[in-house]
Coordinates of all heavy atoms in Angstrom, one line a residue:
M13 N -16.1 14.8 -25.0 CA -17.4 15.0 -24.2 C -17.0 15.0 -22.8 O -16.3 14.3 -22.3 CB -18.4 13.9 -24.4 CG -19.7 14.1 -23.8 SD -21.0 12.8 -24.0 CE -21.2 12.8 -25.6
D14 N -17.5 16.2 -22.1 CA -17.2 16.2 -20.6 C -18.3 15.3 -19.8 O -19.3 15.1 -20.4 CB -17.0 17.7 -20.2 CG -18.4 18.5 -20.2 OD1 -19.5 17.8 -20.0 OD2 -18.3 19.6 -20.5
F15 N -18.0 15.2 -18.6 CA -18.7 14.3 -17.7 C -20.2 14.9 -17.6 O -21.2 14.2 -17.6 CB -18.1 14.1 -16.4 CG -17.1 13.1 -16.5 CD1 -15.9 13.3 -15.9 CD2 -17.2 11.8 -17.1 CE1 -14.8 12.4 -15.9 CE2 -16.3 10.9 -17.1 CZ -15.0 11.3 -16.5
T16 N -20.3 16.3 -17.5 CA -21.6 16.8 -17.3 C -22.5 16.5 -18.5 O -23.7 16.2 -18.5 CB -21.5 18.4 -16.9 OG1 -20.7 18.5 -15.7 CG2 -22.9 19.0 -16.7
E17 N -21.8 16.8 -19.6 CA -22.6 16.7 -21.0 C -22.9 15.2 -21.1 O -23.9 14.8 -21.5 CB -21.7 17.2 -22.2 CG -22.4 17.0 -23.5 CD -23.6 17.9 -23.7 OE1 -23.7 19.0 -23.0 OE2 -24.4 17.5 -24.5
Y18 N -22.0 14.2 -20.8 CA -22.2 12.8 -20.8 C -23.4 12.4 -20.0 O -24.3 11.6 -20.5 CB -21.0 12.0 -20.5 CG -21.2 10.5 -20.4 CD1 -21.1 9.8 -21.6 CD2 -21.3 9.8 -19.3 CE1 -21.3 8.4 -21.7 CE2 -21.5 8.5 -19.3 CZ -21.6 7.8 -20.4 OH -21.8 6.4 -20.5
Q19 N -23.5 13.0 -18.8 CA -24.6 12.6 -17.9 C -25.9 13.0 -18.5 O -26.8 12.4 -18.2 CB -24.3 13.3 -16.6 CG -25.3 12.9 -15.4 CD -24.7 13.5 -14.1 OE1 -24.0 14.6 -14.1 NE2 -25.2 12.8 -13.0
K20 N -26.0 14.1 -19.1 CA -27.2 14.5 -19.8 C -27.7 13.5 -20.9 O -28.8 13.2 -21.0 CB -27.1 15.9 -20.5 CG -27.0 17.1 -19.5 CD -26.8 18.4 -20.2 CE -26.5 19.6 -19.2 NZ -25.9 20.7 -19.9
N21 N -26.6 12.9 -21.5 CA -26.9 11.9 -22.5 C -27.4 10.7 -22.0 O -28.2 9.9 -22.6 CB -25.7 11.8 -23.4 CG -25.5 12.9 -24.5 OD1 -26.2 12.9 -25.6 ND2 -24.8 13.9 -24.1
T22 N -26.8 10.2 -20.9 CA -27.1 9.0 -20.3 C -28.7 9.1 -19.8 O -29.4 8.1 -19.9 CB -26.4 8.6 -19.2 OG1 -26.3 9.4 -18.1 CG2 -24.9 8.3 -19.6
K23 N -29.0 10.3 -19.3 CA -30.5 10.5 -18.8 C -31.4 10.3 -20.0 O -32.4 9.7 -19.7 CB -30.6 11.8 -18.1 CG -31.8 12.0 -17.3 CD -31.7 13.4 -16.7 CE -32.7 13.4 -15.6 NZ -32.6 14.5 -14.8
E24 N -31.0 10.8 -21.2 CA -31.9 10.6 -22.4 C -32.0 9.1 -22.8 O -33.0 8.7 -23.5 CB -31.3 11.4 -23.5 CG -31.5 12.9 -23.2 CD -30.8 13.7 -24.4 OE1 -30.5 13.1 -25.4 OE2 -30.7 15.0 -24.2
T25 N -31.0 8.3 -22.5 CA -31.0 6.9 -23.0 C -31.3 5.9 -21.8 O -31.4 4.8 -22.0 CB -29.6 6.6 -23.6 OG1 -28.6 6.7 -22.6 CG2 -29.4 7.4 -24.8
A26 N -31.7 6.5 -20.6 CA -32.1 5.6 -19.5 C -33.6 5.2 -19.6 O -34.4 5.9 -19.4 CB -31.8 6.4 -18.2
I27 N -33.7 3.9 -19.8 CA -35.0 3.3 -19.8 C -35.0 2.0 -19.0 O -34.4 1.0 -19.4 CB -35.4 2.9 -21.3 CG1 -35.5 4.1 -22.2 CG2 -36.7 2.2 -21.3 CD1 -35.6 3.7 -23.7
Y28 N -35.4 2.2 -17.7 CA -35.5 1.1 -16.9 C -36.8 1.0 -16.0 O -37.4 2.1 -15.9 CB -34.1 1.0 -16.1 CG -33.6 2.2 -15.4 CD1 -34.3 2.9 -14.3 CD2 -32.5 2.8 -15.9 CE1 -33.7 4.0 -13.7 CE2 -32.0 3.9 -15.3 CZ -32.6 4.5 -14.1 OH -32.0 5.6 -13.7
P29 N -37.1 0.0 -15.4 CA -38.3 -0.1 -14.8 C -38.4 0.7 -13.5 O -37.4 1.0 -12.8 CB -38.4 -1.6 -14.4 CG -37.1 -2.0 -14.4 CD -36.3 -1.3 -15.4
N30 N -39.6 1.2 -13.3 CA -39.8 2.1 -12.0 C -40.6 1.3 -10.9 O -41.2 1.9 -10.1 CB -40.4 3.4 -12.4 CG -41.8 3.3 -13.0 OD1 -42.2 2.1 -13.1 ND2 -42.4 4.4 -13.5
N31 N -40.5 0.0 -11.0 CA -41.2 -0.8 -10.1 C -40.5 -1.1 -8.9 O -40.8 -1.9 -8.0 CB -41.8 -2.1 -10.8 CG -40.7 -2.9 -11.3 OD1 -39.6 -2.5 -11.4 ND2 -41.1 -4.1 -11.8
M32 N -39.3 -0.5 -8.8 CA -38.4 -0.8 -7.6 C -38.3 0.5 -6.9 O -38.2 1.6 -7.5 CB -36.9 -1.1 -8.1 CG -36.8 -2.3 -9.0 SD -35.2 -2.4 -9.7 CE -34.4 -3.6 -8.7
E33 N -38.6 0.4 -5.6 CA -38.6 1.6 -4.8 C -37.2 2.3 -4.8 O -36.2 1.7 -4.7 CB -38.8 1.2 -3.3 CG -40.2 1.5 -2.8 CD -40.3 1.2 -1.3 OE1 -40.0 2.0 -0.5 OE2 -41.1 0.2 -1.2
G34 N -37.2 3.7 -5.1 CA -36.1 4.3 -5.2 C -35.5 4.1 -6.6 O -35.2 3.0 -6.9
G35 N -35.3 5.1 -7.5 CA -34.8 4.9 -8.7 C -33.5 4.5 -8.8 O -32.9 4.2 -10.0
F36 N -32.7 4.6 -7.6 CA -31.3 4.3 -7.6 C -31.0 2.8 -7.6 O -29.8 2.4 -7.9 CB -30.6 4.9 -6.5 CG -31.2 4.7 -5.2 CD1 -30.8 3.6 -4.5 CD2 -32.2 5.5 -4.6 CE1 -31.3 3.3 -3.2 CE2 -32.6 5.3 -3.4 CZ -32.3 4.2 -2.6
Y37 N -31.9 1.9 -7.3 CA -31.6 0.6 -7.2 C -31.1 -0.1 -8.6 O -30.1 -0.7 -8.7 CB -32.7 -0.4 -6.7 CG -33.0 -0.2 -5.2 CD1 -34.2 0.5 -4.7 CD2 -32.1 -0.6 -4.3 CE1 -34.4 0.6 -3.5 CE2 -32.3 -0.5 -3.0 CZ -33.5 0.1 -2.5 OH -33.8 0.3 -1.2
Y38 N -31.9 0.3 -9.6 CA -31.5 -0.3 -10.9 C -30.2 0.0 -11.4 O -29.4 -0.8 -11.7 CB -32.7 0.1 -12.0 CG -32.5 -0.6 -13.2 CD1 -33.1 -1.8 -13.4 CD2 -31.7 0.0 -14.3 CE1 -32.8 -2.5 -14.8 CE2 -31.5 -0.6 -15.5 CZ -32.1 -1.8 -15.7 OH -31.8 -2.5 -16.9
P39 N -29.8 1.4 -11.4 CA -28.5 1.8 -11.8 C -27.3 1.1 -10.8 O -26.3 0.9 -11.3 CB -28.5 3.2 -12.0 CG -29.6 3.7 -11.2 CD -30.7 2.6 -11.2
A40 N -27.7 1.1 -9.6 CA -26.7 0.6 -8.5 C -26.4 -0.9 -8.9 O -25.4 -1.3 -8.9 CB -27.3 0.9 -7.2
L41 N -27.5 -1.5 -9.1 CA -27.3 -2.9 -9.5 C -26.6 -3.3 -10.7 O -25.7 -4.2 -11.0 CB -28.6 -3.8 -9.3 CG -29.3 -3.8 -7.9 CD1 -30.6 -4.4 -8.0 CD2 -28.4 -4.7 -7.0
G42 N -27.1 -2.5 -11.8 CA -26.4 -2.4 -13.1 C -25.0 -2.2 -13.1 O -24.1 -2.7 -13.7
L43 N -24.6 -1.2 -12.3 CA -23.2 -0.7 -12.1 C -22.4 -2.0 -11.5 O -21.3 -2.4 -12.0 CB -23.0 0.5 -11.1 CG -21.6 0.9 -10.8 CD1 -20.8 1.3 -12.0 CD2 -21.7 2.0 -9.8
A44 N -22.8 -2.7 -10.5 CA -22.2 -3.8 -9.9 C -22.0 -5.0 -11.0 O -21.0 -5.6 -11.1 CB -23.0 -4.3 -8.7
G45 N -23.1 -5.1 -11.7 CA -23.1 -6.2 -12.8 C -22.1 -5.8 -13.9 O -21.2 -6.7 -14.3
E46 N -21.9 -4.6 -14.3 CA -21.0 -4.2 -15.4 C -19.6 -4.2 -14.9 O -18.6 -4.6 -15.6 CB -21.3 -2.8 -16.0 CG -22.7 -2.8 -16.7 CD -22.7 -3.7 -17.9 OE1 -21.6 -4.2 -18.5 OE2 -23.8 -4.0 -18.4
V47 N -19.4 -3.8 -13.6 CA -18.0 -4.0 -13.0 C -17.7 -5.4 -13.0 O -16.5 -5.7 -13.3 CB -18.0 -3.3 -11.6 CG1 -16.7 -3.6 -10.8 CG2 -18.0 -1.8 -11.7
G48 N -18.6 -6.3 -12.6 CA -18.3 -7.7 -12.7 C -17.9 -8.2 -14.1 O -17.0 -9.0 -14.2
E49 N -18.7 -7.8 -15.1 CA -18.3 -8.1 -16.5 C -17.0 -7.7 -16.9 O -16.1 -8.5 -17.4 CB -19.3 -7.6 -17.4 CG -20.6 -8.2 -17.4 CD -21.6 -7.6 -18.6 OE1 -21.1 -7.0 -19.5 OE2 -22.8 -7.7 -18.3
L50 N -16.5 -6.4 -16.5 CA -15.2 -5.9 -16.9 C -14.1 -6.7 -16.1 O -13.1 -7.1 -16.7 CB -15.1 -4.4 -16.3 CG -13.8 -3.8 -16.5 CD1 -13.3 -3.8 -18.0 CD2 -13.9 -2.4 -15.9
L51 N -14.4 -7.0 -14.8 CA -13.3 -7.7 -14.0 C -13.3 -9.3 -14.6 O -12.1 -9.8 -14.5 CB -13.7 -7.8 -12.6 CG -13.6 -6.3 -11.9 CD1 -13.9 -6.4 -10.5 CD2 -12.3 -5.7 -12.1
N52 N -14.3 -9.8 -15.0 CA -14.3 -11.1 -15.5 C -13.5 -11.1 -16.9 O -12.7 -12.1 -17.0 CB -15.7 -11.7 -15.9 CG -15.7 -13.2 -15.8 OD1 -15.2 -13.8 -15.2 ND2 -16.5 -13.7 -16.8
K53 N -13.5 -10.2 -17.6 CA -12.7 -10.2 -18.8 C -11.2 -10.0 -18.5 O -10.5 -10.6 -19.1 CB -13.2 -9.0 -19.8 CG -14.5 -9.3 -20.4 CD -15.1 -8.4 -21.3 CE -16.4 -8.7 -21.7 NZ -16.7 -9.2 -23.1
I54 N -10.9 -9.2 -17.5 CA -9.5 -9.0 -17.1 C -9.0 -10.2 -16.5 O -8.0 -10.7 -16.6 CB -9.5 -7.8 -15.9 CG1 -9.7 -6.5 -16.7 CG2 -8.2 -7.8 -15.3 CD1 -9.9 -5.3 -15.9
K55 N -10.0 -11.0 -15.6 CA -9.6 -12.3 -15.1 C -9.1 -13.3 -16.2 O -8.1 -13.9 -16.1 CB -10.7 -12.9 -14.3 CG -10.5 -14.3 -13.8 CD -11.8 -15.0 -13.4 CE -12.6 -15.5 -14.7 NZ -13.8 -16.2 -14.6
K56 N -9.9 -13.2 -17.3 CA -9.6 -14.2 -18.4 C -8.3 -13.9 -19.2 O -7.7 -14.7 -19.6 CB -10.9 -14.3 -19.4 CG -12.0 -15.0 -18.8 CD -13.2 -15.0 -19.6 CE -14.4 -15.7 -18.9 NZ -15.6 -15.7 -19.7
I57 N -8.0 -12.6 -19.3 CA -6.8 -12.1 -19.8 C -5.7 -12.6 -19.1 O -4.7 -13.2 -19.5 CB -6.8 -10.5 -20.0 CG1 -7.7 -10.0 -20.9 CG2 -5.2 -10.1 -20.2 CD1 -8.0 -8.5 -20.8
A58 N -5.8 -12.5 -17.7 CA -4.7 -12.9 -16.8 C -4.6 -14.6 -16.8 O -3.6 -15.2 -17.0 CB -4.9 -12.5 -15.4
R59 N -5.9 -15.1 -16.7 CA -5.9 -16.7 -16.8 C -5.3 -17.3 -18.0 O -4.5 -18.2 -17.9 CB -7.3 -17.2 -16.5 CG -7.5 -18.6 -16.4 CD -8.9 -19.0 -16.6 NE -9.5 -18.7 -17.9 CZ -10.7 -18.7 -18.1 NH1 -11.6 -19.1 -17.3 NH2 -11.1 -18.5 -19.4
D60 N -5.7 -16.7 -19.1 CA -5.4 -17.3 -20.4 C -4.1 -16.6 -21.1 O -3.7 -17.0 -22.2 CB -6.5 -17.2 -21.3 CG -7.8 -17.9 -20.9 OD1 -7.7 -18.8 -20.0 OD2 -8.9 -17.5 -21.4
K61 N -3.5 -15.6 -20.2 CA -2.4 -14.9 -20.7 C -2.6 -14.5 -22.2 O -1.8 -14.6 -23.1 CB -1.1 -15.9 -20.7 CG -0.7 -16.2 -19.3 CD 0.5 -17.1 -19.3 CE 1.0 -17.6 -17.9 NZ 0.1 -17.5 -16.7
K62 N -3.7 -13.9 -22.4 CA -4.2 -13.4 -23.7 C -3.8 -11.8 -23.9 O -3.6 -11.1 -22.8 CB -5.7 -13.4 -23.8 CG -6.3 -14.7 -23.9 CD -7.8 -14.7 -24.3 CE -8.6 -13.6 -23.8 NZ -10.0 -13.7 -24.0
T63 N -3.7 -11.5 -25.0 CA -3.5 -10.0 -25.4 C -4.9 -9.3 -25.1 O -5.8 -10.0 -25.6 CB -3.1 -9.8 -26.8 OG1 -1.8 -10.6 -27.0 CG2 -2.8 -8.3 -27.1
P64 N -4.9 -8.2 -24.3 CA -6.1 -7.7 -24.1 C -6.9 -7.2 -25.4 O -6.1 -6.6 -26.3 CB -5.8 -6.5 -23.2 CG -4.5 -6.9 -22.7 CD -3.8 -7.7 -23.7
D65 N -8.1 -7.4 -25.4 CA -8.9 -6.8 -26.5 C -9.3 -5.5 -26.1 O -10.3 -5.3 -25.4 CB -10.1 -7.7 -26.9 CG -10.9 -7.2 -28.0 OD1 -11.0 -6.0 -28.3 OD2 -11.6 -8.0 -28.7
I66 N -8.6 -4.5 -26.6 CA -8.9 -3.0 -26.1 C -10.3 -2.6 -26.5 O -11.0 -1.9 -25.6 CB -7.8 -2.1 -26.7 CG1 -6.5 -2.6 -26.3 CG2 -8.1 -0.6 -26.2 CD1 -6.2 -2.7 -24.7
E67 N -10.8 -2.9 -27.7 CA -12.1 -2.5 -27.9 C -13.2 -3.1 -27.0 O -14.3 -2.6 -26.6 CB -12.4 -2.7 -29.4 CG -11.7 -2.0 -30.4 CD -12.0 -0.4 -30.2 OE1 -13.1 0.0 -30.0 OE2 -11.0 0.4 -30.2
D68 N -13.1 -4.3 -26.7 CA -13.8 -5.1 -25.8 C -13.8 -4.4 -24.4 O -14.9 -4.2 -23.8 CB -13.5 -6.5 -25.7 CG -14.4 -7.5 -25.2 OD1 -15.7 -7.2 -25.3 OD2 -14.1 -8.5 -24.6
L69 N -12.6 -4.2 -23.9 CA -12.5 -3.7 -22.6 C -13.1 -2.1 -22.6 O -13.8 -1.6 -21.6 CB -11.1 -3.5 -22.2 CG -10.4 -4.8 -21.9 CD1 -8.9 -4.6 -21.6 CD2 -11.1 -5.6 -20.8
K70 N -12.9 -1.5 -23.7 CA -13.5 0.0 -23.8 C -14.9 -0.1 -23.7 O -15.7 0.7 -23.0 CB -13.0 0.6 -25.1 CG -13.3 2.0 -25.3 CD -13.2 2.7 -26.6 CE -11.9 2.4 -27.3 NZ -11.8 3.0 -28.7
G71 N -15.6 -1.1 -24.4 CA -17.1 -1.2 -24.3 C -17.5 -1.6 -22.8 O -18.6 -1.0 -22.5
E72 N -16.8 -2.3 -22.1 CA -17.3 -2.7 -20.7 C -17.0 -1.4 -19.9 O -17.8 -1.1 -19.0 CB -16.5 -3.8 -20.2 CG -16.8 -5.1 -20.9 CD -18.3 -5.5 -20.8 OE1 -19.0 -5.0 -20.0 OE2 -18.7 -6.4 -21.5
I73 N -16.0 -0.8 -20.1 CA -15.7 0.6 -19.3 C -16.8 1.6 -19.7 O -17.3 2.2 -18.7 CB -14.3 1.1 -19.6 CG1 -13.3 0.2 -18.9 CG2 -14.1 2.5 -19.1 CD1 -11.8 0.5 -19.3
G74 N -17.2 1.6 -20.8 CA -18.4 2.5 -21.1 C -19.7 2.0 -20.4 O -20.4 3.0 -20.0
D75 N -19.9 0.8 -20.4 CA -21.1 0.3 -19.6 C -20.9 0.6 -18.3 O -21.9 1.1 -17.6 CB -21.2 -1.3 -19.7 CG -21.6 -1.7 -21.2 OD1 -22.0 -0.9 -22.1 OD2 -21.2 -2.9 -21.4
V76 N -19.8 0.6 -17.5 CA -19.6 0.9 -16.1 C -19.9 2.5 -16.1 O -20.7 3.0 -15.1 CB -18.1 0.6 -15.7 CG1 -17.8 1.3 -14.3 CG2 -18.0 -1.0 -15.6
L77 N -19.3 3.3 -17.0 CA -19.5 4.7 -16.9 C -21.0 5.1 -17.0 O -21.4 6.0 -16.4 CB -18.8 5.3 -18.0 CG -18.6 6.9 -18.0 CD1 -18.1 7.4 -16.7 CD2 -17.8 7.4 -19.2
W78 N -21.7 4.4 -18.0 CA -23.1 4.7 -18.1 C -23.9 4.6 -16.8 O -24.8 5.4 -16.2 CB -23.7 3.8 -19.2 CG -25.1 4.2 -19.6 CD1 -25.5 5.2 -20.7 CD2 -26.4 3.9 -19.0 NE1 -26.8 5.3 -20.7 CE2 -27.4 4.6 -19.7 CE3 -26.6 3.1 -18.0 CZ2 -28.8 4.3 -19.3 CZ3 -28.1 2.9 -17.6 CH2 -29.0 3.6 -18.3
Y79 N -23.7 3.3 -16.2 CA -24.5 3.1 -14.9 C -24.0 4.1 -13.7 O -24.7 4.6 -13.0 CB -24.3 1.6 -14.4 CG -25.3 0.8 -15.1 CD1 -24.8 -0.2 -16.2 CD2 -26.6 0.8 -14.9 CE1 -25.7 -0.9 -16.8 CE2 -27.5 -0.1 -15.5 CZ -27.1 -1.0 -16.4 OH -28.0 -1.7 -17.1
L80 N -22.7 4.4 -13.7 CA -22.2 5.4 -12.8 C -22.8 6.7 -13.0 O -23.3 7.4 -12.0 CB -20.8 5.5 -12.8 CG -20.0 6.4 -11.8 CD1 -20.2 5.9 -10.4 CD2 -18.5 6.5 -12.1
S81 N -23.1 7.0 -14.2 CA -23.6 8.4 -14.7 C -25.1 8.4 -14.2 O -25.5 9.3 -13.5 CB -23.5 8.6 -16.1 OG -24.0 9.8 -16.5
Q82 N -25.8 7.3 -14.4 CA -27.2 7.3 -14.1 C -27.3 7.2 -12.5 O -28.3 7.7 -12.1 CB -27.8 6.0 -14.7 CG -28.5 6.4 -16.2 CD -29.3 7.7 -16.1 OE1 -28.9 8.7 -16.6 NE2 -30.5 7.6 -15.4
L83 N -26.5 6.5 -11.9 CA -26.6 6.5 -10.4 C -26.5 7.8 -9.9 O -27.2 8.3 -9.0 CB -25.5 5.5 -9.9 CG -25.5 5.2 -8.4 CD1 -27.0 4.6 -8.0 CD2 -24.5 4.3 -7.8
S84 N -25.5 8.6 -10.4 CA -25.3 9.9 -10.1 C -26.5 10.8 -10.4 O -27.0 11.6 -9.5 CB -24.1 10.6 -10.8 OG -22.9 9.9 -10.5
N85 N -27.1 10.6 -11.5 CA -28.4 11.3 -11.8 C -29.5 11.0 -10.8 O -30.2 11.9 -10.4 CB -28.8 10.9 -13.3 CG -28.4 11.8 -14.4 OD1 -28.1 12.9 -14.2 ND2 -28.2 11.2 -15.5
E86 N -29.6 9.8 -10.4 CA -30.7 9.4 -9.4 C -30.5 10.2 -8.1 O -31.5 10.4 -7.5 CB -30.8 8.0 -9.2 CG -31.1 7.2 -10.4 CD -32.6 7.3 -10.9 OE1 -33.4 8.0 -10.2 OE2 -32.9 7.0 -12.0
F87 N -29.2 10.5 -7.8 CA -29.0 11.2 -6.5 C -28.8 12.8 -6.8 O -28.5 13.3 -5.8 CB -27.8 10.6 -5.8 CG -28.0 9.3 -5.2 CD1 -27.5 8.1 -5.6 CD2 -28.9 9.2 -4.0 CE1 -27.8 6.9 -5.1 CE2 -29.2 8.0 -3.5 CZ -28.6 6.8 -4.0
G88 N -28.9 13.2 -8.0 CA -28.9 14.5 -8.2 C -27.4 15.1 -8.1 O -27.2 16.2 -7.9
I89 N -26.5 14.3 -8.4 CA -25.1 14.5 -8.3 C -24.6 14.8 -9.7 O -24.7 14.0 -10.6 CB -24.3 13.4 -7.6 CG1 -24.6 13.1 -6.2 CG2 -22.7 13.6 -7.7 CD1 -24.1 11.9 -5.6
D90 N -24.0 15.9 -9.9 CA -23.3 16.4 -11.2 C -21.9 15.5 -11.4 O -21.1 15.7 -10.6 CB -23.1 17.9 -11.2 CG -22.5 18.3 -12.6 OD1 -21.5 17.8 -12.9 OD2 -23.1 19.3 -13.2
L91 N -21.9 14.8 -12.4 CA -20.7 13.8 -12.6 C -19.5 14.6 -12.8 O -18.5 14.3 -12.3 CB -21.1 12.8 -13.6 CG -20.1 11.6 -13.8 CD1 -20.0 10.8 -12.4 CD2 -20.5 10.8 -14.9
G92 N -19.6 15.7 -13.5 CA -18.5 16.6 -13.9 C -18.1 17.2 -12.6 O -16.8 17.3 -12.4
Q93 N -18.9 17.7 -11.7 CA -18.4 18.4 -10.4 C -17.8 17.3 -9.5 O -16.8 17.6 -8.9 CB -19.8 18.9 -9.7 CG -19.5 19.9 -8.6 CD -20.7 20.5 -8.1 OE1 -21.8 19.9 -8.2 NE2 -20.6 21.5 -7.5
A94 N -18.3 16.1 -9.5 CA -17.7 15.1 -8.7 C -16.3 14.7 -9.2 O -15.3 14.5 -8.4 CB -18.6 13.8 -8.8
A95 N -16.2 14.7 -10.5 CA -14.8 14.5 -11.1 C -13.8 15.6 -10.7 O -12.6 15.3 -10.4 CB -14.9 14.3 -12.7
D96 N -14.4 16.8 -10.9 CA -13.5 17.9 -10.6 C -13.0 17.9 -9.1 O -11.8 18.1 -8.8 CB -14.2 19.3 -10.7 CG -14.4 19.6 -12.2 OD1 -13.6 19.1 -13.0 OD2 -15.2 20.5 -12.6
E97 N -14.0 17.7 -8.2 CA -13.7 17.7 -6.8 C -12.7 16.5 -6.4 O -12.0 16.7 -5.5 CB -15.0 17.6 -6.0 CG -15.9 18.9 -6.0 CD -17.1 18.8 -5.4 OE1 -17.5 17.8 -4.7 OE2 -17.9 19.8 -5.5
N98 N -12.9 15.3 -7.1 CA -12.1 14.2 -6.8 C -10.6 14.5 -7.2 O -9.7 14.3 -6.5 CB -12.6 13.0 -7.5 CG -11.7 11.8 -7.4 OD1 -10.9 11.4 -8.2 ND2 -12.0 11.2 -6.2
I99 N -10.4 15.2 -8.4 CA -9.1 15.5 -8.8 C -8.4 16.6 -7.9 O -7.3 16.5 -7.4 CB -9.1 15.9 -10.3 CG1 -9.3 14.9 -11.2 CG2 -7.8 16.7 -10.7 CD1 -8.3 13.8 -11.1
K100 N -9.3 17.5 -7.4 CA -8.7 18.6 -6.5 C -8.3 17.8 -5.2 O -7.2 18.2 -4.7 CB -9.8 19.6 -6.2 CG -9.9 20.6 -7.3 CD -11.0 21.6 -7.0 CE -11.2 22.5 -8.3 NZ -12.6 23.0 -8.3
K101 N -9.0 16.9 -4.7 CA -8.7 16.3 -3.4 C -7.4 15.4 -3.6 O -6.6 15.5 -2.8 CB -9.9 15.2 -3.1 CG -9.7 14.4 -2.0 CD -10.8 13.4 -1.7 CE -10.8 12.2 -2.7 NZ -11.9 11.3 -2.5
L102 N -7.4 14.7 -4.8 CA -6.0 13.9 -4.9 C -4.8 14.8 -5.2 O -3.8 14.5 -4.6 CB -6.4 13.1 -6.2 CG -7.3 11.9 -5.8 CD1 -7.7 11.1 -7.2 CD2 -7.0 11.0 -4.8
K103 N -5.0 16.0 -5.9 CA -3.9 16.8 -6.1 C -3.4 17.4 -4.7 O -2.3 17.6 -4.5 CB -4.2 18.0 -7.0 CG -4.2 17.4 -8.5 CD -4.5 18.6 -9.5 CE -4.4 18.1 -10.9 NZ -4.7 19.1 -11.9
S104 N -4.4 17.8 -3.9 CA -4.1 18.4 -2.6 C -3.3 17.2 -1.7 O -2.3 17.5 -1.0 CB -5.4 18.8 -1.8 OG -5.1 19.0 -0.5
R105 N -3.8 16.0 -1.9 CA -3.1 14.9 -1.0 C -1.7 14.8 -1.6 O -0.8 14.5 -0.7 CB -3.9 13.6 -1.2 CG -5.2 13.6 -0.4 CD -5.8 12.2 -0.5 NE -7.1 12.2 0.2 CZ -8.0 11.2 0.2 NH1 -7.6 10.2 -0.7 NH2 -9.0 11.2 0.9
K106 N -1.5 14.8 -2.9 CA -0.2 14.7 -3.5 C 0.8 15.8 -3.0 O 1.9 15.6 -2.5 CB -0.3 14.6 -4.9 CG 1.1 14.4 -5.6 CD 0.9 14.3 -7.2 CE 2.4 14.1 -7.7 NZ 2.3 14.2 -9.2
E107 N 0.2 17.0 -3.1 CA 1.0 18.2 -2.6 C 1.4 18.1 -1.1 O 2.5 18.6 -0.8 CB 0.3 19.5 -2.9 CG 0.2 19.9 -4.3 CD -0.9 20.9 -4.7 OE1 -1.5 21.6 -3.7 OE2 -1.2 21.1 -5.8
R108 N 0.5 17.6 -0.4 CA 0.8 17.5 1.1 C 1.5 16.1 1.5 O 1.7 16.0 2.7 CB -0.5 17.6 1.8 CG -1.1 19.0 1.7 CD -2.5 19.2 2.5 NE -3.5 18.5 1.8 CZ -4.2 17.3 2.3 NH1 -3.8 16.9 3.4 NH2 -5.1 16.8 1.7
G109 N 1.8 15.4 0.5 CA 2.5 14.0 0.7 C 1.8 13.0 1.5 O 2.4 12.2 2.1
V110 N 0.3 13.1 1.2 CA -0.4 12.0 1.9 C -1.3 11.2 1.0 O -2.2 10.5 1.3 CB -1.4 12.6 3.0 CG1 -0.6 13.3 4.2 CG2 -2.3 13.8 2.4
I111 N -0.8 11.2 -0.3 CA -1.6 10.4 -1.3 C -1.5 8.9 -1.0 O -2.5 8.3 -1.4 CB -1.2 10.9 -2.7 CG1 -2.3 10.4 -3.7 CG2 0.1 10.2 -3.1 CD1 -2.3 11.1 -5.0
S112 N -0.4 8.4 -0.5 CA -0.4 7.0 -0.3 C -0.8 6.5 1.1 O -0.7 5.3 1.3 CB 1.1 6.5 -0.6 OG 2.0 7.1 0.4
G113 N -1.4 7.3 1.8 CA -1.9 7.0 3.1 C -3.2 6.3 3.1 O -3.7 6.0 2.1
S114 N -3.9 6.2 4.2 CA -5.3 5.6 4.2 C -6.1 6.7 5.0 O -5.8 7.5 5.8 CB -5.2 4.3 4.9 OG -4.8 4.3 6.1
G115 N -7.6 6.4 4.8 CA -8.5 7.2 5.4 C -9.1 8.2 4.4 O -8.5 8.7 3.5
D116 N -10.4 8.5 4.4 CA -11.2 9.2 3.5 C -10.7 10.7 3.6 O -10.7 11.5 2.8 CB -12.7 9.1 3.8 CG -13.2 7.8 3.1 OD1 -12.4 7.1 2.4 OD2 -14.3 7.4 3.5
N117 N -10.6 11.2 4.9 CA -10.4 12.6 5.1 C -8.9 12.9 5.5 O -8.5 13.2 6.6 CB -11.3 13.1 6.3 CG -12.7 12.9 5.9 OD1 -13.2 13.2 4.9 ND2 -13.4 12.2 6.7
R118 N -8.1 12.9 4.4 CA -6.6 13.3 4.5 C -6.3 14.6 4.0 O -7.0 15.1 3.1 CB -5.8 12.2 3.8 CG -5.7 11.0 4.6 CD -4.9 9.9 3.8 NE -5.9 9.3 2.8 CZ -5.5 9.0 1.5 NH1 -4.2 9.0 1.3 NH2 -6.2 8.2 0.8
Ligands
MG219 MG1 -21.2 -4.9 -20.3

């Protein structure tokens, strides 16, 4: 499934309260929460020197992706287009030898 198609699917499964001003608050806060869940699992892998449970991590990455997709929907951003533009930017940086530098506009 490509990102644009995925984004259409997340919109169909998005059920959240509209009692917060601006529809973007809920997915923005949800994204932060799911990133936290993912990082907490990674923390425990490191702390306990455990073998990563790939299915568990995949589930959390999917949760992160869902909220990222919905956040993009709330701002009218096509996730597939954002992904394409991001890769083009990074390939350009690599070709120009500035991929390891810093600054948004390299
Ligand atoms: Mg989760």
